[in-house]
Amino acid sequence: MSVALPRIDAIRDAAARIAPHAVVTPVMRNARLDALAGAQLFFKCENLQRGGAFKFRGACNAVWSLSDDEAARGVVTHSSGNHGNALAIAASTRGIPAHVVVPEGAVKAKLEAIEQAGAVLHRCAPNTPAREAAAAEVQRQTGADLVHPYADTRVMAGQGTLVLELLNQAGDLDIIVTPVGGGGLAAGCAIAAHALDSSIQMIAAEPEGADDAAQSLAQGSRIAGITANTICDGLRTLIGESNFEALQQHGTQVVTVSDDEVVAAMKTLWRELKLVIEPSSATVFAAVLKRPEQFAGKRVGLVLTGGNVDLEALPF
Amino acid sequence: MSVALPRIDAIRDAAARIAPHAVVTPVMRNARLDALAGAQLFFKCENLQRGGAFKFRGACNAVWSLSDDEAARGVVTHSSGNHGNALAIAASTRGIPAHVVVPEGAVKAKLEAIEQAGAVLHRCAPNTPAREAAAAEVQRQTGADLVHPYADTRVMAGQGTLVLELLNQAGDLDIIVTPVGGGGLAAGCAIAAHALDSSIQMIAAEPEGADDAAQSLAQGSRIAGITANTICDGLRTLIGESNFEALQQHGTQVVTVSDDEVVAAMKTLWRELKLVIEPSSATVFAAVLKRPEQFAGKRVGLVLTGGNVDLEALPF
């Protein structure tokens, strides 16, 4: 499914649209982490966003982009967790129904949060065709608007708003590192960053066990599928078509990291920043530690994407 | 050991003295936690303070109160962790030696942090007489200034600075809840709060397994000793004499909470706030949940005192 990439105007519109509802998340610095990395690190704390993840930005932009008639029929999505939770909360800000199709095996803490936010859960098998079919069935029955987790112009624009904030808070940056899964964040952030400063190097951190973006960039075309095997539950999806094109257009480099590197980075971030972040968020710091020569002396923005973890099932 | 309580002028001086070195920690709000408590909660995030705990405030004030000659001989303390770490970091901001006497059994993460900050560790048995004797021996050998964890006017003044910030950030509050161990925080905060607004109710949260402050207030005089048995490793000390007098003078109420209540509160705070906080910090929210009628509808400041935990030894 190919969708239009948002332009910077759409990202600025999204920023205004979500402002009444979203948190301007803080940017944290840490002297010990700077010393470890040999760089100046600016951590954009989207784990402190509503719903505990950056996903609220895109979902909120989509919900508030609807006409009143469209909104009244509700919204639907399929999501392993954070996007579903975000859409449920975003729908609640407008008082409209939300339906979330969740694959079996999703993180329990995330499912509970989605239900708490008032959405209707629909279970399905843990693969992309099953998710899309279940969402289509809900659409057919309710007329709800599909808000895709990443292959959606409104969602990409919403995610890009965090870079507008980050550059405003941190000043000029040489590099911005985001995780990459479906690529809504990586695409939105690249578009926003380069509209403001075309010299910023965009880097996408990807788990080795779901390295379709890295493989796709290496072969110059999007690979058809992966069997994801990684602790990073938010990054197991195949990158979207348009999202992949955005990575190519913006010269985004992918750095792959092992699950062991992710867990080590996660522990270091918890210990030093005192923040609860989920494994997907730790990929960005793991990437910096893996390529010290690339980051040495640079001003680096790192997007900590979310903090929704099962506290009873921590990987350490 | 009785020491003078600080006046508000000393707390204001401390705020100016530590400003170049300390973090103005954020105050966080959370709609779900407000709903759980039936109150408006303002979380003062001292886990995001330098060294991961409020203790840096008092230690920093003490270090920068010394004359150059005094400072050159260094500082010494005895501490189960956070104060020792804080003093080590504070000493490093002035480039002077720090000696920390640590009892056997202290949290490993805290000891590592103290060494990382450049202090010299001195081990001793885990009881107050052994700690004081070891610190006195270091003083004798080095001429270092003793910066007691709580029975120290400069330390109490430094801890009180967080209330100046909190009231500036949150506006008027009806109640402020701090944990109580040695009582430097509870005393300093009460003095600062009542200098600004005498109507604020001060509440001290204390673990049932180290409830000497509660017992002392109940009988009207300070009890002679306790055998502490609580997960709250920062709150196992007996309250200081002057600190206890401050609690009496300021009408501080003590609310005791069980370790089970602390662990449940800790999990809830981690999940909702996405902050790593240590068990001692969770006592304040546990106290609010335990006495809902007392907090209903109030504007309540809660001091999250620190975030230094062994990630390999979490209580859940």
Side-chain angles (χ1 to χ4, degrees), chain B residues 24-284:
Chain B
V24 176
T25 55
V27 170
M28 291 200 188
R29 306 286 323 267
N30 185 283
R32 281 200 188 143
L33 297 178
D34 281 6
L36 265 179
Q40 296 176 67
L41 307 181
F42 299 82
F43 293 95
K44 181 66 170 162
C45 299
E46 288 294 303
N47 61 326
L48 304 178
Q49 186 52 264
R50 265 181 96 161
F54 75 96
K55 294 278 189 178
F56 181 73
R57 296 175 181 271
C60 186
N61 186 47
V63 160
W64 286 95
S65 295
L66 297 172
S67 71
D68 286 347
D69 282 352
E70 291 167 335
R73 293 192 289 273
V75 285
V76 60
T77 196
H78 48 88
S79 162
S80 63
N82 280 339
H83 174 69
N85 185 29
L87 189 66
I89 299 171
S92 76
T93 67
R94 200 164 174 182
I96 63 175
H99 302 270
V100 181
V101 173
V102 292
E104 301 295 340
V107 172
K108 183 166 143 274
K110 295 185 179 181
L111 299 190
E112 289 172 356
I114 295 172
E115 285 196 306
Q116 270 189 35
V120 181
L121 288 187
H122 306 261
R123 308 264 177 171
C124 74
N127 62 68
T128 302
R131 287 160 62 149
E132 293 179 349
E137 177 60 22
V138 173
Q139 274 190 283
R140 200 185 57 73
Q141 291 182 5
T142 63
D145 187 85
L146 176 67
V147 182
H148 192 279
Y150 50 87
D152 185 304
T153 311
R154 303 163 299 181
V155 168
M156 286 189 264
Q159 320 307 33
T161 61
L162 77 83
V163 162
L164 302 184
E165 285 178 19
L166 171 60
L167 289 171
N168 186 44
Q169 292 164 308
D172 288 342
L173 294 175
D174 301 307
I175 303 175
I176 294 176
V177 194
T178 71
V180 62
L185 177 68
C189 287
I191 294 165
H194 285 163
L196 271 67
D197 178 353
S198 61
S199 73
I200 296 173
Q201 171 68 54
M202 298 301 297
I203 292 185
E206 188 170 48
E208 287 175 359
D211 66 343
D212 61 296
Q215 288 188 45
S216 299
L217 279 179
Q219 75 173 37
S221 63
R222 181 168 168 266
I223 66 171
I226 46 163
T227 305
N229 179 16
T230 171
I231 194 177
C232 302
D233 60 285
L235 305 177
R236 290 176 189 148
T237 42
L238 192 64
I239 191 167
E241 285 178 29
S242 311
N243 311 71
F244 174 62
E245 287 163 18
L247 261 57
Q248 289 181 306
Q249 289 169 18
H250 289 271
T252 302
Q253 289 178 22
V254 176
V255 175
T256 57
V257 290
S258 71
D259 277 6
D260 284 351
E261 290 165 337
V262 167
V263 171
M266 184 172 163
K267 277 177 66 175
T268 302
L269 293 174
W270 282 43
R271 193 178 62 238
E272 296 298 333
L273 295 179
K274 311 302 180 195
L275 292 178
V276 174
I277 57 159
E278 55 189 89
S280 302
S281 298
T283 57
V284 294

Side-chain angles (χ1 to χ4, degrees), chain A residues 184-196:
Chain A
L185 176 70
C189 287
I191 294 164
H194 285 163
L196 271 66

Side-chain angles (χ1 to χ4, degrees), chain A residues 12-141:
Chain A
R12 291 193 196 282
D13 289 349
R17 199 174 282 124
I18 71 174
H21 311 290
V23 174
V24 177
T25 55
V27 171
M28 290 199 188
R29 306 287 322 266
N30 184 284
R32 281 201 188 140
L33 296 178
D34 281 6
L36 266 178
Q40 295 176 69
L41 308 182
F42 298 82
F43 294 95
K44 180 66 169 162
C45 300
E46 288 295 302
N47 61 325
L48 303 178
Q49 187 51 264
R50 266 181 97 162
F54 74 95
K55 294 277 188 178
F56 181 73
R57 296 175 181 270
C60 187
N61 186 47
V63 160
W64 286 95
S65 296
L66 297 172
S67 72
D68 286 348
D69 283 352
E70 291 168 333
R73 293 192 290 273
V75 285
V76 59
T77 195
H78 47 87
S79 162
S80 63
N82 281 338
H83 174 69
N85 184 31
L87 190 65
I89 300 171
S92 75
T93 68
R94 201 165 173 181
I96 63 174
H99 301 270
V100 181
V101 173
V102 293
E104 301 295 340
V107 172
K108 184 166 146 273
K110 295 185 179 181
L111 300 190
E112 289 172 357
I114 295 172
E115 285 197 306
Q116 269 188 38
V120 182
L121 288 187
H122 306 261
R123 307 264 176 173
C124 74
N127 62 68
T128 302
R131 288 159 61 145
E132 291 178 350
E137 177 58 21
V138 173
Q139 273 190 285
R140 200 187 56 74
Q141 290 182 8

